[in-house]
Amino acid sequence: MKYFSMFSGVEGFGQGIEGEAIGFSEIDKYASMVLRYRFPSVKNYGDCKTIKWEEVSDFDMLVGGSPCQDFSIA
């Protein structure tokens, strides 16, 4: 199964499923660095408001984590 991950963070979602990430949407600088390291061949499309969906490969499932900054005390 191919999936596109919104608000990816460090992509914990991918640890829980058997699937292939075809793209990420993440804007945090440090999380993006982790994504580049862990998934060098998967594109980070950045801000979800500017994604050109016609440029994204077909996928089976859209997943997303709630942006957690409002829940974090770090």
Side-chain angles (χ1 to χ4, degrees):
M1 170 180 17
K2 295 181 180 182
Y3 70 91
F4 189 96
S5 178
M6 305 285 289
F7 319 112
S8 302
V10 296
E11 192 45 33
F13 182 86
Q15 300 298 306
I17 65 164
E18 291 183 21
E20 173 190 358
I22 60 96
F24 302 119
S25 175
E26 179 55 60
I27 60 172
D28 180 80
K29 177 172 86 171
Y30 300 109
S32 294
M33 288 168 45
V34 171
L35 290 173
R36 255 192 318 274
Y37 177 78
R38 289 184 60 210
F39 305 94
S41 62
V42 180
K43 181 175 179 177
N44 181 358
Y45 288 83
D47 189 338
C48 65
K49 297 178 288 191
T50 62
I51 296 172
K52 294 184 173 97
W53 290 104
E54 63 275 5
E55 296 176 4
V56 177
S57 298
D58 288 338
F59 55 90
D60 303 304
M61 184 168 47
L62 179 68
V63 301
S66 170
C68 62
Q69 291 82 358
D70 56 338
F71 301 118
S72 175
I73 59 171

